[in-house]
Every structure is written in C-alpha cells, then in structure tokens.
Amino acid sequence: MTKQSVIFFDIDGTLLNHDKELPLSTKESIFKLKGLGHEVAIATGRAPFMFEDLRKELDINTFVSYNGQYVVLKGEVLYTNPLKISSLEKLTEAALQNNHPVVFMDHEDMKANVPEHTYIKQSIDTLKISRFPTHDPHYYIGRELFQTLLFCPVGEEEQYEREFRDFDFIRWHPVSVDILPKGGSKAKGIEKIVNKLGIPKERQYAFGDGLNDIEMLSTVKNSVAMGNAEEQVKVHAKYITKSVEEDGIFHGLQMVGLL
C-alpha cells in the first residue's frame, strides 16, 4: 500500500486552462492519484458554488475555498473565517463614493451593491461560470461573508489598503481585487486539513500559478508552480512544471514521484 499523500490543486490556470477547460491528462492524473489512495483536494480563491461541477467531475469533496476562509474536509465544513462586517460596511461606503462597486460573497451566493457595472461584467465573465451576481446592497446584513470583490483599476486599491487594516487585498483581474480577512490565505486553510488528516509535511503537495498561491507554495513542503505562472510566483515553489496547456499537472506529478 502506497503511503497516503495529500495534494492540493488551484483551479484557474492550474487544473483549468485559460479557456476554463479541464485537460484530459489532468483528469486522468487526478483519478490515478485517487486510485493510489491519495487525498486529492482543491485550493482556490473561488466560492464553493463556483466549482461544484468540477468537484463532481473529479469526485473531490475536500477543498479550501475563498483563499482559505471556507474549508471543507470530506464533505463536512471544517473551518470558516468570516470578514469583519463593521469594517466592510465602512469600506463599501467609501467604494460607492469612488464609483467602485463591490460584490458580497458567502458560501451560497454573491450579491452586488449596485444594479450593474461594466467592471463586474468584465471580470466575472472571464470565470465562465453560469451564475452572475444579482443586486442586493444589504446582503452583508446578518450573514457571514468570506470574501468580497472590490472592482477598481490597478493601483486604486492602495487607498483601501491604507485605510482598512482588517483586510488583505489580492488582485485577480485588471479591474477586480479579492478582499480577505487580514492574514487569511490558502496556506492557513490547508493547515487545518493536514492537521486533521495527520499527514506529515513530507507527503504534502500543492500546485498553483497565481499571486494568491504564493503563501501556499511557500508553506507546503512539495510545492509546484505551473509553467504559466508569473516569475514572482515561481520563485516560491520547490518545483516548476510545464504550463497547464502542456499537460503541466501530469508532468508535475511525475516530477515529484507521485505518478
């Protein structure tokens, strides 16, 4: 029996290519890992409802979502880390004055504080998901929110970073930024899962490509950056595989000796 390892995969630019398609070699590799008895998990900035179809296709029920703020192990919620609502309310007021819309997100849905805005459409459309945020400016009231999207051009998030110290801001699109609880990360979410599973660091693996993967790649012992990752991401990984377009997951798993 192979000793069990746990492997965490980012979604966009890692499991899915830039057309949001799952390469056949990636799907086959995931099922080979599962067949060998390994625990396969997802670690993403996406909301849980944004990758339900992918979880079903790959038969994965362990995941770190919202960049570590909503963590599920074998179908059961293991850990949550919601945003501070009082600070979010003040940020939303400031954003409205700057014509910067926001989208509130919990584990079930997402709602925009404005009826429509070109920045929301531009960025959400790139995810190629079936759901689009509808209008509810009061969605934050009485709910735990795990991430909020702030829509503004590059550089304009700096004013919010200076004023709102309860949050971290991570850009994922030219006109959109993730707002997370201060210190929240995929690495923290992964820590909750590996501690519960009791799998040692030597058998922990992570694959990613984005800025929100840096802490994960820096923390997980056997980290693999995709060939399509930016250089500032690659420097934090132990290994660098081929791009997602070149069967990067398959080659990376071979590189680290899992396949």
Side-chain angles (χ1 to χ4, degrees), residues 157-168:
E157 72 274 19
E158 293 173 3
Q159 59 187 301
Y160 302 99
E161 292 173 342
R162 290 191 295 268
E163 185 174 352
F164 298 97
R165 300 299 180 88
D166 290 326
F167 306 132
D168 285 333

Side-chain angles (χ1 to χ4, degrees), residues 23-41:
L24 179 60
S25 65
T26 297
K27 184 173 182 177
E28 291 175 344
S29 297
I30 297 297
F31 280 98
K32 284 179 183 176
L33 289 175
K34 292 167 67 69
L36 291 168
H38 299 307
E39 184 70 31
V40 179

Side-chain angles (χ1 to χ4, degrees), residues 45-70:
R46 289 189 181 214
F49 55 82
M50 289 182 175
F51 60 103
E52 284 178 287
D53 290 346
L54 182 63
R55 296 202 306 273
K56 289 177 182 175
E57 184 174 359
L58 296 176
D59 190 26
I60 291 175
N61 57 10
T62 293
F63 60 86
V64 172
S65 63
Y66 282 136
N67 289 309
Q69 316 322 308
Y70 192 86

Side-chain angles (χ1 to χ4, degrees), residues 50-245:
M50 289 182 175
F51 60 103
E52 284 178 287
D53 290 346
L54 182 63
R55 296 202 306 273
K56 289 177 182 175
E57 184 174 359
L58 296 176
D59 190 26
I60 291 175
N61 57 10
T62 293
F63 60 86
V64 172
S65 63
Y66 282 136
N67 289 309
Q69 316 322 308
Y70 192 86
V71 179
V72 170
L73 174 61
K74 300 181 187 297
E76 299 293 331
V77 177
L78 178 64
Y79 170 76
T80 61
N81 183 32
L83 293 161
K84 185 175 179 179
I85 296 298
S86 59
S87 297
L88 182 63
E89 192 170 12
K90 292 175 184 175
L91 183 149
T92 302
E93 291 171 1
L96 272 175
Q97 293 176 359
N98 296 326
N99 192 29
H100 293 158
V102 301
V103 166
F104 306 114
M105 309 177 81
D106 64 6
H107 62 294
E108 294 178 326
D109 207 351
M110 56 182 171
K111 299 289 184 179
N113 71 328
V114 295
E116 58 182 25
H117 196 287
T118 183
Y119 288 170
I120 298 178
K121 180 168 174 53
Q122 281 178 30
S123 53
I124 298 295
D125 279 355
T126 65
L127 296 173
K128 296 189 178 180
I129 55 176
S130 59
R131 194 180 304 197
F132 195 82
T134 52
H135 181 220
D136 184 351
H138 305 298
Y139 193 68
Y140 65 90
I141 297 174
R143 284 185 170 85
E144 287 192 331
L145 302 181
F146 304 105
Q147 188 166 285
T148 292
L149 303 179
L150 170 68
F151 298 85
C152 63
V154 174
E156 294 188 19
E157 72 274 19
E158 293 173 3
Q159 59 187 301
Y160 302 99
E161 292 173 342
R162 290 191 295 268
E163 185 174 352
F164 298 97
R165 300 299 180 88
D166 290 326
F167 306 132
D168 285 333
F169 299 80
I170 302 176
R171 184 163 291 279
W172 66 276
H173 185 275
V175 295
S176 188
V177 175
D178 291 333
I179 301 175
L180 305 173
K182 191 73 177 178
S185 70
K186 290 184 182 183
K188 293 255 178 87
I190 286 172
E191 182 182 25
K192 302 295 181 183
I193 289 176
V194 296
N195 286 348
K196 189 74 172 179
L197 291 175
I199 295 178
K201 291 184 177 181
E202 293 71 24
R203 299 205 298 275
Q204 298 172 18
Y205 299 79
F207 287 70
D209 74 299
L211 296 176
N212 62 338
D213 294 320
I214 287 176
E215 284 200 42
M216 173 177 78
L217 296 175
S218 303
T219 305
V220 175
K221 186 174 179 65
N222 302 296
S223 58
V224 185
M226 303 299 289
N228 46 277
E230 295 181 31
E231 290 305 316
Q232 61 182 312
V233 176
K234 289 179 179 177
V235 297
H236 294 279
K238 184 175 180 180
Y239 305 95
I240 300 172
T241 183
K242 296 184 179 183
S243 76
V244 62
E245 311 286 353

